[in-house]
Amino acid sequence: MDSSPTLKALLRVGLALVLALPLAAEGAKPPAPAARKGQLPPLIDRDKFFGNPEIAGAQLSPDGKWIAFLKPYRETRNIWVKKVGEPYAKGHLITADPKRPIPAFFWSRDGKQILFVQDRDGDENYNVYAVDPAAPAAAGKEVPEARNLTAAKGARAMIYAVPKADPDTIYVGLNDRDAAWHDVYKVKISTGERTLVRKNTERIAGWVFDKQANLRLALRTTDKGDTEILRVDPEGFTKVYECSIFESAAPINFHKDGKRVYLETNKGHRDLTELVLFDPATGKEEKLESDPKGRVDFGSALFSDLTDELIATTYQDDRTRIYWKDKAWEADFKRIQAKLPGREIGLASMTNDEQLVMVAAYSDQDPGSRYLFDRRTKKLSLEYVSREDLPRKDMVAMRPIRYKSSDGLEIPAYLSLPKGVPAKGLPLVVVPHGGPWARDAWGFNNLAQFLANRGYAVLQPNFRGSTGYGKKFLNAGNKQWGDLMQDDLTWGVKHLVAQGIADPKRVGIMGGSYGGYATLAGVAFTPDLYAAAVSIVGPSNLLTLLETIPPYWEAGRIVFHERMGNPNTPEGRKQLERQSPLNSAAKIHTPLMVIQGANDPRVKKAESDQIVIALRDRGFPVEYLCAPDEGHGFARPVNNQAMFAAAETFLAKYLKARHQEGGKPDVMKRLPEITVDPKTVVLAKKADAAAVGVPRPVAKPTAGTFTYAGTIAMGPRSMPISMVRTVKEEGGAWVVTDAAKLPGGEAVETTTMAQDSLVPLKRLVKQGAVTIELAYEGSKATGSMAMGGNARPFSIELGGGAYAEGSGSEDALACLPLADGYTTTFRNADLQRQKVQLKQLKVAGQEDLKVPAGSFKAWKVELTSAEGEPGTTTVWVDTATRKVLKTVATGPQMGGAVVTVELQN
C-alpha cells in the first residue's frame, strides 16, 4: 500500500501462490513406497508451510507495556494483545474478522489505539480501522468496537503520515471523489473526525509530510512519464526536482533540520541508486552514500525516531548488507548477531525511548523467531518461534547463482536443491517473481522449501527488469515481456540442464501475477521446454491487461506504456499482440493449471477465463480454479492450502515427483468449491448484432445553440476544450453540428438524423487535413476518408439500422424513454476499426446536478460496450427539457484520457 505508484509498487505481488485440484477428502498419507527414492527427508505436511502460524507479527506498544500480535481466531488471523512478560496464551482478542485475515496493523503514536487495514474479498479497496485494546467488548460481541476511520465504500485508502508531533492524528488519501486520484484528509483517531487538507485536482500521485505534520512535498508523473517532485507552497506547487521516465527519485525522510530531505535517486549519470540530501528551497544536492561494493541499488535507511538521526543503511545484495552510522546501535546489533549467528536480524518495533526492541531473526532455513532485546541490560529473551513445528533440520539452503542469458547478460538468481539426494537429474520448477518490477531476496521462502521437500530443484531468477540491480538492468527489460525477459528464464533452465542438475524432461514453471504471465509465455513461446505449468493471476492478453488497470494507477499508465508497450500506436499494439500468450494458445501443448481470484482488481478474471476457453475449445486439457472470495493472490489459509494441495498433485503427475495426498477436512471440503469445470467458462456475453433493433425515441431534440466547456485530462495534464452545438430542423430532418476547439486544433462534425426516428442519415467530419463523409442506408454505412486530398472509400456492414451516431448521438439518446432501470442496445459504426460496434445504454437513476448553466434534476445515463470492451460514457440529461447537461467519457481509444464537458448556457 505504497503512497505513490512508483515502479516498485505498481505491480508488486507477494508471492502467495495458491494452487488447487480436486482430491479425496481424507487425512494426509505418507508417500507411497515408490516415492521413497534416495534419502529425501520425510514428507512434511503442507499445513506446516501454508497454514496459519500460531503467532505472527508481534509489535511492542510505544510505552513497552504491551505486545500486539496476530493469532488465528476461527481459523482467521486476527489481532490479540498481551502484557509484556506474559505468555502469549494469556493474550486477549481485539478483532474478530471470521473470514479475511488482518493484513497489517500498528500502534498509534500514543499507544491508545491499534490501527489496521482491511479490504473486501481481495478487492484492494482498503479502509483504515482503529480499535482501543483496553476497551471492553461491544454489546453482544467478543471484542471491542473497531471504528472505520475512512469509511470509503468502493474506494482505496492510503496512509501518508502518522505524525509524532500529533499522536492522535493520521493523514490519509481517499479516492472516493475521483477514483484515479487521492484527496488528502486529516483524521482524528480517537473520534474519527475527518478534515479535508487538500483536494487533489492537480493529479498528484504521492504526498510527503515533515516531522511536524506539515505537507511539504508532492510527487507527480508527467504526461511523458517523468517524475516531478514539487514543493508545496502556500500559493501552489513549485517543481524542485525531476527525472526521466527511465530514472527514479523518491523522498525517504526529512532531515532533523526540517529543511533538507533524504532522497534516493539514480538521475543522470548514475546507474545504481544513491542516497542524497536534497534541499527543496535551494535545489542543492549532497551525495551521502551508494553501495560501497558497487553492486546493487541503495536499499533502505533506518532512522532514530527519538533523535531523527540516520542510524543505518542497508543494501539488498545476494544477502542483506548493513552499514551502521551510530556506534551504540552498531554495538548492540553485533551483540545480537553474536547470539544468533547465521541469521538475518531485523528491528521489528521498539518503545518510544528506543530502549526495548522487538527483534526478528530468520535465515533461508528458518522462518524466524522474535526476541526482546533490552538495550539497558543487554538481555536478549525469546518471545516465540514462528512455525515451531516445521523441522528446521529438513529445510534447504537458498544459494545465490549467476548465469548468462541469450544475449550474454548476467542473470542473478537463487537455487534451492532438495536435501538427501545428489544434485543430478532432478525435476525442476522455475518460479518467476511477480512485478515484474520487483525482485526475489535471500531468506526463508515457504514455496521454495515446500517444493524442495517434494524433491524439486527450485530456480528463482531475478530476470532483467527486476529492481535493485541498477537502472541499466531494469531498463533492459523495457518492452521485453515474452522476449528477452523470457529468455532469462529459458537460459536459466539450460544452465541447470547443462550442469546436470535438472532433468530436461521434468521441468515445470509456476508463478503469480507477472510470474503467471511468464508461465503462460513459457508454454506458449517455448512449448517444448516445460512439462507442467501453473499460472496464478497471470495476464494472458497484454492489451486487455492495460485497458483494465485499476483507476488509482492512472498516474503510472504512461509508465506501463513505455516499459511494456504502447497500445495506442500501431507498432506498440502489434508488439503487445505478439507478446500476448492468448494469441499463441494454439502452440501450447504443456499441461496447464490456471488459478484466479474472482475479485482481482489488477489482473481481471477475464484474463484467466480467455486462456482457459482458448485451450478448451481446441480440445486441450486445462485445469482451472477460481476463488470467489479472493483477489490478486490468496489471503485465506483454507484457499491457499486447497490450491497448494492441487498444485503439488498436478506437478507430481507430470514431473514424476512425490506429493502429499489429501489434507485437512476443511481444506478438502473447500477444494471442489473453487474448482471450475472448463466446459462452464464463458466470457461476458456479447450482444448479437443481428438481434439488435433500433430504439424508438419518444421526444424530439431541443432546438437551439448550446455552449459546452470542459477538459481533456491525461495523467497529470489537463487541457481545456470548448464546443458550440447547434440543433435545428432543416429540410425535413434534424441537423446537429458540433464546432469544437481542441488541443490539437478545431474540429467540426455535422450529423443529419431522420425527423421522427432520429436514425442517422449522414455525417461529415472535418479536423485539420482529415475529412470523413459517411452515408447510412439500411444495414450499411458507406463513405470515404480523405487526408490531404487523397480519399479512400470504405464500407461497413452494420447488420441493421444504426442509432445515436456522431454529433447527434447525445441528443438522440436524450429522446429515448428514459426512466429508472431503462436499458437498450443499439448499433454504431466504428470508423477507426471500420466495423459495427454494439452499445448498451442504462439509466442509473436521477441526480441533482449543478453545471454552469444552472441546477437541474437529471437522468444519469451510462453508455458502455455491449461486447465487453473497455470504455464508458456517462451523459446527464435534464428531465424537464431533455437538454444534454454534462458528458464524461473514458476509453482506451483516448489513451486513458478523461473528457468532461458541461453546459454553459
Side-chain angles (χ1 to χ4, degrees):
M1 296 185 296
D2 294 311
S3 60
S4 62
T6 61
L7 206 54
K8 293 178 182 178
L10 283 174
L11 275 178
R12 185 183 299 273
V13 170
L15 258 162
L17 305 184
V18 283
L19 320 159
L21 190 71
L23 295 172
E26 56 189 359
K29 295 180 179 179
R36 299 183 188 272
K37 295 178 180 178
Q39 299 296 317
L40 282 171
L43 200 67
I44 300 171
D45 194 303
R46 75 181 72 87
D47 181 57
K48 295 182 180 181
F49 290 103
F50 305 114
N52 271 315
E54 181 60 25
I55 305 168
Q59 294 187 32
L60 272 168
S61 64
D63 63 5
K65 295 179 180 179
W66 300 88
I67 293 175
F69 58 97
L70 295 174
K71 180 180 175 180
Y73 164 77
R74 295 184 181 177
E75 297 298 319
T76 302
R77 287 190 301 278
N78 276 275
I79 305 172
W80 301 66
V81 171
K82 76 174 191 74
K83 288 182 179 179
V84 170
E86 284 186 341
Y88 282 80
K90 291 268 191 178
H92 68 272
L93 184 69
I94 64 166
T95 68
D97 192 321
K99 185 177 180 183
R100 196 156 186 84
I102 302 294
F105 74 93
F106 60 94
W107 289 90
S108 63
R109 287 280 191 172
D110 56 13
K112 295 179 179 179
Q113 305 279 338
I114 290 177
L115 290 89
F116 65 95
V117 297
Q118 186 62 288
D119 70 348
R120 184 180 179 86
D121 290 340
D123 65 1
E124 297 189 14
N125 288 324
Y126 291 99
N127 276 287
V128 182
Y129 297 81
V131 59
D132 179 355
K141 296 184 178 180
E142 297 179 69
V143 295
E145 178 189 5
R147 294 174 294 108
N148 191 339
L149 298 180
T150 47
K153 187 177 181 180
R156 177 186 175 99
M158 290 184 172
I159 299 174
Y160 290 133
V162 186
K164 182 170 59 174
D166 188 359
D168 193 30
T169 292
I170 59 169
Y171 289 88
V172 300
L174 290 175
N175 62 337
D176 52 350
R177 179 188 58 84
D178 184 333
W181 309 101
H182 286 70
D183 298 329
V184 184
Y185 289 88
K186 177 181 180 180
V187 180
K188 192 173 180 64
I189 299 172
S190 57
T191 65
E193 178 186 355
R194 195 167 79 188
T195 305
L196 179 65
V197 174
R198 189 102 188 192
K199 188 176 181 180
N200 187 358
T201 58
E202 301 91 352
R203 300 180 170 264
I204 300 300
W207 304 90
V208 182
F209 290 78
D210 66 13
K211 302 292 184 181
Q212 286 69 45
N214 300 309
L215 186 55
R216 295 282 299 278
L217 297 173
L219 286 83
R220 184 163 64 190
T221 304
T222 71
D223 56 353
K224 296 188 298 180
D226 297 343
T227 297
E228 293 180 339
I229 299 178
L230 310 174
R231 190 179 67 230
V232 181
D233 297 325
E235 64 277 6
F237 294 118
T238 302
K239 183 171 68 176
V240 294
Y241 198 92
E242 65 178 335
C243 62
S244 78
I245 189 172
F246 299 125
E247 300 171 330
S248 64
I252 299 174
N253 201 28
F254 268 90
H255 189 271
K256 67 177 183 177
D257 64 15
K259 298 177 181 179
R260 295 173 294 169
V261 65
Y262 291 93
L263 190 74
E264 56 176 314
T265 179
N266 62 7
K267 179 181 178 179
H269 68 279
R270 308 171 178 97
D271 179 40
L272 298 177
T273 302
E274 300 176 349
L275 179 66
V276 304
L277 261 180
F278 176 73
D279 190 334
T282 66
K284 182 181 177 182
E285 179 182 321
E286 174 190 349
K287 179 180 175 179
L288 293 181
E289 187 177 288
S290 60
D291 181 9
K293 294 189 176 182
R295 289 167 55 89
V296 293
D297 287 332
F298 172 78
S300 63
L302 180 64
F303 295 88
S304 167
D305 210 31
L306 196 61
T307 66
D308 292 329
E309 292 281 2
L310 175 66
I311 60 175
T313 55
T314 70
Y315 294 85
Q316 190 72 57
D317 202 341
D318 288 341
R319 289 186 59 172
T320 301
R321 288 183 273 115
I322 186 166
Y323 296 88
W324 290 97
K325 317 301 176 187
D326 183 287
K327 296 298 182 184
W329 273 106
E330 181 176 17
D332 284 341
F333 184 82
K334 287 182 176 179
R335 284 188 184 94
I336 298 170
Q337 252 186 342
K339 294 181 179 181
L340 303 172
R343 313 254 195 109
E344 295 280 11
I345 308 297
L347 307 181
S349 62
M350 64 187 75
T351 53
N352 280 338
D353 63 7
E354 298 184 352
Q355 294 304 302
L356 190 61
V357 183
M358 182 72 75
V359 174
Y362 65 93
S363 74
D364 56 343
Q365 296 171 269
D366 181 357
S369 302
R370 288 284 171 109
Y371 298 82
L372 274 184
F373 179 70
D374 190 323
R375 297 186 69 202
R376 294 186 183 95
T377 65
K378 310 305 179 186
K379 181 182 178 183
L380 182 70
S381 54
L382 178 66
E383 284 291 307
Y384 63 87
V385 176
S386 181
R387 299 189 183 277
E388 193 167 7
D389 59 350
L390 193 64
R392 271 61 172 171
K393 63 181 177 59
D394 294 331
M395 298 299 98
V396 306
M398 186 180 192
R399 181 160 60 94
I401 65 168
R402 297 263 192 302
Y403 59 85
K404 295 291 182 69
S405 188
S406 59
D407 61 351
L409 183 66
E410 186 176 76
I411 305 301
Y414 292 99
L415 178 65
S416 300
L417 297 174
K419 270 192 172 180
V421 293
K424 297 292 182 184
L426 297 171
L428 169 69
V429 179
V430 180
V431 184
H433 62 70
W437 308 298
R439 62 158 289 177
D440 276 323
W442 187 90
F444 190 85
N445 186 289
N446 297 60
L447 177 59
Q449 294 290 347
F450 170 71
L451 292 172
N453 179 257
R454 270 56 182 159
Y456 300 100
V458 183
L459 178 67
Q460 296 171 268
N462 280 320
F463 43 81
R464 73 191 69 205
S466 298
T467 54
Y469 297 98
K471 66 184 177 186
K472 289 179 183 176
F473 190 84
L474 172 66
N475 294 336
N478 291 345
K479 297 183 171 65
Q480 292 300 317
W481 287 41
D483 292 336
L484 286 174
M485 289 171 73
Q486 200 68 31
D487 280 1
D488 296 345
L489 310 187
T490 302
W491 261 254
V493 174
K494 291 182 177 182
H495 171 73
L496 296 181
V497 169
Q499 288 194 330
I501 294 173
D503 180 347
K505 295 182 179 180
R506 294 193 293 160
V507 180
I509 183 169
M510 174 169 63
S513 193
Y514 173 82
Y517 164 82
T519 297
L520 296 175
V523 297
F525 305 144
T526 52
D528 297 324
L529 186 64
Y530 299 106
V534 181
S535 170
I536 306 98
V537 296
S540 60
N541 184 333
L542 299 186
L543 290 172
T544 54
L545 172 71
L546 290 172
E547 290 168 353
T548 56
I549 63 174
Y552 47 83
W553 283 0
E554 183 58 39
R557 185 183 295 275
I558 187 65
V559 178
F560 282 99
H561 289 180
E562 290 300 318
R563 290 203 179 272
M564 286 181 61
N566 190 340
N568 301 315
T569 66
E571 61 274 14
R573 192 171 189 88
K574 185 177 180 181
Q575 170 214 317
L576 292 166
E577 287 174 345
R578 177 180 57 79
Q579 294 170 331
S580 296
L582 181 65
N583 297 327
S584 293
K587 299 177 184 177
I588 297 175
H589 55 73
T590 302
L592 177 65
M593 175 180 282
V594 177
I595 311 297
Q596 182 66 43
N599 307 309
D600 192 336
R602 309 184 191 192
V603 178
K604 303 291 188 182
K605 180 174 174 288
E607 293 294 325
S608 290
D609 286 348
Q610 56 195 356
I611 194 71
V612 168
I613 289 171
L615 294 178
R616 177 201 68 194
D617 288 353
R618 56 179 275 242
F620 191 84
V622 58
E623 299 179 22
Y624 190 23
L625 297 106
C626 183
D629 51 355
E630 296 286 7
H632 197 65
F634 285 37
R636 296 188 65 204
V638 68
N639 289 334
N640 237 4
Q641 290 189 67
M643 289 183 280
F644 273 117
E648 67 167 309
T649 301
F650 178 83
L651 292 172
K653 177 180 178 181
Y654 296 107
L655 303 184
K656 298 179 175 60
R658 66 178 187 169
H659 71 285
Q660 172 188 342
E661 296 181 15
K664 292 167 60 179
D666 63 329
V667 172
M668 293 297 97
K669 178 178 181 293
R670 184 60 174 159
L671 198 47
E673 296 172 353
I674 58 175
T675 301
V676 180
D677 183 349
K679 295 177 182 177
T680 67
V681 180
V682 293
L683 290 175
K685 188 176 180 181
K686 297 183 178 181
D688 180 5
V692 172
V694 179
R696 294 185 179 182
V698 295
K700 295 182 178 181
T702 302
T705 299
F706 308 97
T707 301
Y708 294 86
T711 60
I712 296 179
M714 181 180 295
R717 190 176 178 187
S718 182
M719 298 164 285
I721 58 174
S722 62
M723 181 180 71
V724 175
R725 175 171 293 165
T726 304
V727 182
K728 60 182 180 180
E729 279 191 278
E730 184 176 274
W734 286 98
V735 180
V736 181
T737 300
D738 285 348
K741 292 183 178 180
L742 306 171
E746 297 186 357
V748 179
E749 177 169 2
T750 300
T751 302
T752 303
M753 303 183 295
Q755 190 169 37
D756 296 323
S757 66
L758 301 185
V759 298
L761 302 174
K762 59 183 179 179
R763 290 171 64 187
L764 175 64
V765 182
K766 292 185 177 182
Q767 183 174 6
V770 177
T771 300
I772 302 174
E773 295 184 80
L774 190 64
Y776 298 82
E777 186 173 352
S779 61
K780 183 180 290 189
T782 58
S784 64
M785 182 179 298
M787 182 174 293
N790 298 316
R792 179 173 59 86
F794 62 85
S795 177
I796 303 173
E797 292 290 342
L798 300 174
Y803 192 77
E805 289 274 50
S807 53
S809 61
E810 293 164 357
D811 288 273
L813 296 177
C815 295
L816 293 173
L818 305 180
D820 280 325
Y822 172 75
T823 64
T824 189
T825 305
F826 55 91
R827 300 178 190 83
N828 272 180
D830 184 338
L831 298 184
Q832 184 177 6
R833 294 184 290 180
Q834 295 188 7
K835 55 178 267 188
V836 64
Q837 61 180 2
L838 303 181
K839 295 290 187 179
Q840 178 79 43
L841 177 147
K842 178 182 178 181
V843 176
Q846 292 188 27
E847 291 185 354
D848 292 322
L849 182 69
K850 187 175 182 179
V851 295
S855 297
F856 301 86
K857 178 74 73 174
W859 293 113
K860 183 180 181 182
V861 180
E862 296 175 344
L863 195 62
T864 58
S865 168
E867 301 167 290
E869 295 184 359
T872 61
T873 299
T874 304
V875 181
W876 286 264
V877 177
D878 181 18
T879 58
T881 65
R882 295 185 182 267
K883 289 180 183 178
V884 177
L885 303 173
K886 178 180 178 179
T887 303
V888 177
T890 63
Q893 71 275 17
M894 297 184 289
V898 179
V899 179
T900 304
V901 294
E902 296 179 333
L903 182 65
Q904 306 293 302
N905 65 330

